[in-house]
Amino acid sequence: MSPDDSPATRRLERMEDLVALCARRGFVFAASEVYGGINGFWDYGPLGVELKQNVKARWWQSVVRERDDVEGLDSAIVAHPRTWEASGHVEHFSDPMVDCRVCKKRFRADQLAEAGPCSAREGSCEHDFTEARNFNLMLETRIGASEEAASLAYLRPETCQSIFTDMKRVREAARQKIPFGIAQIGKAFRNEINPRNFTFRSREFEQAELEFFVHPSEREKWFAYWLEQRLAWHRGLGIPDECLRVRAHESWELAHYAKTAADVECRFPFGWHEIEGIHDRGDWDLGRHSEFSGKDLGVTDPETREHFVPMVIETSVGIDRTCLALLATAYREEPVGGGESRTVLRLHPAVAPIKVALLPLSKKLAEPVRTLERELRRHWNVFYDDSGNIGRRYRRQDEVGTPLCVTYDFESGGDGKVTLRDRDSMAQERVALEALVPILRERLESAG
Ligand code: GAP
């Protein structure tokens, strides 16, 4: 199902087109929409949640299930507040920001060129900015019953810190030796000053993180290994090569914990941007948590008896950003003849929310198709649609990226055959109902 674009095919140029499609078809829309939305928060509807689940399942399969050297974890979102002192987030996790004294809006000091005019000032549209101040990006919450006794805590700004604090427990319980990793998928929260570009920069988002613990002598080797693995994973999801690249960090842009870092970037309509970070975090995290907790988080090699603090190679991918990259790079508008055009999401079958649409040519044929639907639901997320003309029904499925449609017509009852229609080529063929499941499996699963 590789895209074969004709010169008349248009790729996504304006994010507004994708935002509108996502809202209209129930992929993603503003959270709390009836109250006017809440900036930086998004809800995933029926199709969006399927897309997201598929991406997470692919990650879990490749990073955890297919390996014997990675264990899974699902830790609490709220950690002991000392965690964030040890991790450096209380001290370092901030952006310089300025306020406009007149319109009261807040901007990142390094993005003032994009601030736009001041809407509240008379006789001028220039802002009246304060000095830049550091603004911590962690979202605070209070824990405990009474206001006075309640203590300050944070919603985690990254999922990995509990992996470090749980490392000893997980390693011993799973009887793992270095090198090994711990992986987790979960929500993270950042009080971003300027959430923007749809879900790209949000205040609540999901990360899939792997912390891989290695001997200090092997850190370069494992960094290179994981960078290659992760790039291959994005390719395998169907993000085309020309929209993917790796960018190594310059020393001045390294996060406070990182010794070496590289980003996997995707080309969006708004430019090349990070979807995943691969970091050599050294012994920063385990060293700091040992120091702050007073517990030794080092390990002893059972053969050499060497005691050392493992180095950490981290891979950290944003699930929301990956979904956005998949949607943005799959989007096409293309002519279909007769002056008509269609919008199609050329999603890889593995991530497509609906795998097969079942379309009886007439409502009178509902019964046998409902029976088929029940059978196919045991294998895939399928969708039944008997309303509107068949061309319009195909278009509706193209627009949400359904790879295959099965049409049951007035002949099907007699000859035991249905029409199988391919999303990308729009080719149609008659196939035997009896052979439908293996044929669908071959088409949906052969793409890797
Ligand atoms: N533990 C390392 C870490 O959190 P990061 O580069 O800050 O590193 C990793 O974040 C990934 O999380 C990013 O590549 C991105 O995909 C996702 N991410 C970070 N901030 C985000 C935000 N505000 N909105 C959506 N995704 C975000």
Side-chain angles (χ1 to χ4, degrees):
M1 298 227 181
S2 72
D4 181 24
D5 292 345
S6 84
T9 299
R10 277 191 46 225
R11 289 176 174 247
L12 183 70
E13 283 156 21
R14 300 169 341 128
M15 283 304 285
E16 299 91 285
D17 292 336
L18 183 62
V19 174
L21 186 154
C22 283
R24 186 172 69 248
R25 300 307 308 273
F27 275 95
V28 189
F29 38 85
S32 310
E33 215 172 6
V34 295
Y35 291 105
I38 168 165
N39 196 9
F41 296 87
W42 299 94
D43 288 349
Y44 285 72
L47 297 179
V49 70
E50 286 292 333
L51 171 68
K52 220 177 181 198
Q53 294 285 11
N54 292 339
V55 170
K56 289 193 278 187
R58 286 280 282 205
W59 188 87
W60 196 260
Q61 180 65 22
S62 110
V63 175
V64 184
R65 293 249 174 98
E66 286 177 13
R67 307 186 62 102
D68 64 0
D69 57 357
V70 176
E71 304 292 339
L73 180 72
D74 182 12
S75 69
I77 284 175
V78 175
H80 192 290
R82 291 276 282 164
T83 308
W84 308 109
E85 290 170 33
S87 70
H89 282 82
V90 170
E91 192 182 344
H92 298 289
F93 196 57
S94 52
D95 276 341
M97 59 101 199
V98 299
D99 292 310
C100 172
R101 294 187 183 90
V102 188
C103 68
K104 309 288 179 211
K105 284 193 186 142
R106 180 165 283 178
F107 304 94
R108 266 171 70 157
D110 55 353
Q111 290 172 359
L112 291 184
E114 296 160 36
C118 176
S119 50
R121 209 163 170 192
E122 275 175 35
S124 163
C125 54
E126 274 180 39
H127 292 280
D128 178 11
F129 288 130
T130 59
E131 290 293 301
R133 273 175 300 149
N134 272 337
F135 173 73
N136 196 291
L137 298 184
M138 281 195 292
L139 276 171
E140 294 177 1
T141 187
R142 298 256 157 205
I143 302 196
S146 73
E147 193 60 29
E148 310 80 64
S151 59
L152 179 66
Y154 302 100
L155 302 184
R156 63 185 177 195
E158 56 179 8
T159 62
C160 61
Q161 289 304 324
S162 306
I163 295 183
F164 302 127
T165 53
D166 288 351
M167 188 276 259
K168 196 172 153 61
R169 162 77 69 193
V170 173
R171 190 178 69 79
E172 286 170 5
R175 301 173 59 227
Q176 283 283 1
K177 288 199 211 93
I178 303 293
F180 90 105
I182 304 178
Q184 111 160 297
I185 301 178
K187 291 270 189 175
F189 303 80
R190 297 183 189 177
N191 200 2
E192 299 283 359
I193 299 168
N194 284 334
R196 58 187 171 160
N197 290 328
F198 197 17
T199 56
F200 183 84
R201 189 175 302 288
S202 330
R203 288 179 167 142
E204 175 177 339
F205 54 95
E206 223 165 344
Q207 291 184 317
E209 299 201 295
L210 164 72
E211 309 302 320
F212 201 76
F213 303 95
V214 305
H215 188 272
S217 63
E218 296 200 312
R219 55 202 290 200
E220 282 89 10
K221 179 183 103 181
W222 283 108
F223 182 86
Y225 170 84
W226 279 111
L227 182 56
E228 195 190 306
Q229 290 286 310
R230 298 303 307 142
L231 189 61
W233 183 82
H234 288 282
R235 286 206 183 100
L237 282 190
I239 301 181
D241 269 352
E242 68 274 16
C243 294
L244 269 182
R245 73 177 186 193
V246 170
R247 191 183 68 81
H249 281 209
E250 304 286 343
S251 55
W252 57 265
E253 58 180 326
L254 290 173
H256 62 270
Y257 52 74
K259 301 276 191 299
T260 317
D263 291 341
V264 176
E265 294 190 333
C266 175
R267 190 167 60 193
F268 291 97
F270 49 90
W272 284 97
H273 288 280
E274 169 190 349
I275 52 177
E276 170 150 9
I278 290 94
H279 304 112
D280 174 348
R281 298 180 71 118
D283 57 1
W284 162 265
D285 304 277
L286 292 178
R288 292 277 288 193
H289 288 302
S290 293
E291 185 189 328
F292 278 66
S293 68
K295 309 269 175 0
D296 176 14
L297 299 179
V299 297
T300 303
D301 185 306
E303 272 131 46
T304 64
R305 307 309 302 159
E306 180 196 5
H307 188 77
F308 62 94
V309 178
M311 300 287 153
V312 171
I313 306 302
E314 171 183 77
T315 73
S316 175
V317 62
I319 297 296
D320 310 80
R321 280 193 194 175
T322 304
C323 290
L324 188 64
L326 290 169
L327 292 168
T329 56
Y331 184 99
R332 300 284 188 287
E333 284 172 29
E334 55 190 32
V336 285
E340 300 265 306
S341 70
R342 68 169 182 163
T343 301
V344 55
L345 292 183
R346 291 179 182 265
L347 291 170
H348 188 293
V351 295
I354 300 168
K355 309 296 185 206
V356 185
L358 299 171
L359 314 173
L361 203 56
S362 147
K363 284 190 179 12
K364 293 189 190 116
L365 299 168
E367 205 185 303
V369 184
R370 285 291 191 193
T371 307
L372 181 62
E373 181 197 356
R374 275 193 294 281
E375 189 194 339
L376 296 188
R377 275 196 187 283
R378 293 180 14 233
H379 306 278
W380 302 287
N381 191 36
V382 304
F383 183 77
Y384 173 93
D385 184 9
D386 63 12
S387 64
N389 76 44
I390 193 73
R392 204 165 309 137
R393 281 187 266 165
Y394 285 149
R395 297 285 167 278
R396 282 205 291 266
Q397 293 307 314
D398 291 342
E399 201 185 41
V400 298
T402 307
L404 296 166
C405 292
V406 170
T407 307
Y408 190 101
D409 58 29
F410 289 101
E411 249 114 81
S412 301
D415 69 3
K417 289 185 172 167
V418 286
T419 301
L420 187 60
R421 186 243 190 205
D422 180 88
R423 175 195 70 200
D424 295 346
S425 65
M426 295 190 280
Q428 301 188 12
E429 64 190 293
R430 295 285 285 175
V431 300
L433 262 170
E434 255 184 3
L436 191 59
V437 169
I439 291 173
L440 294 176
R441 173 160 298 123
E442 203 267 322
R443 302 282 166 90
L444 293 168
E445 292 167 20
S446 66

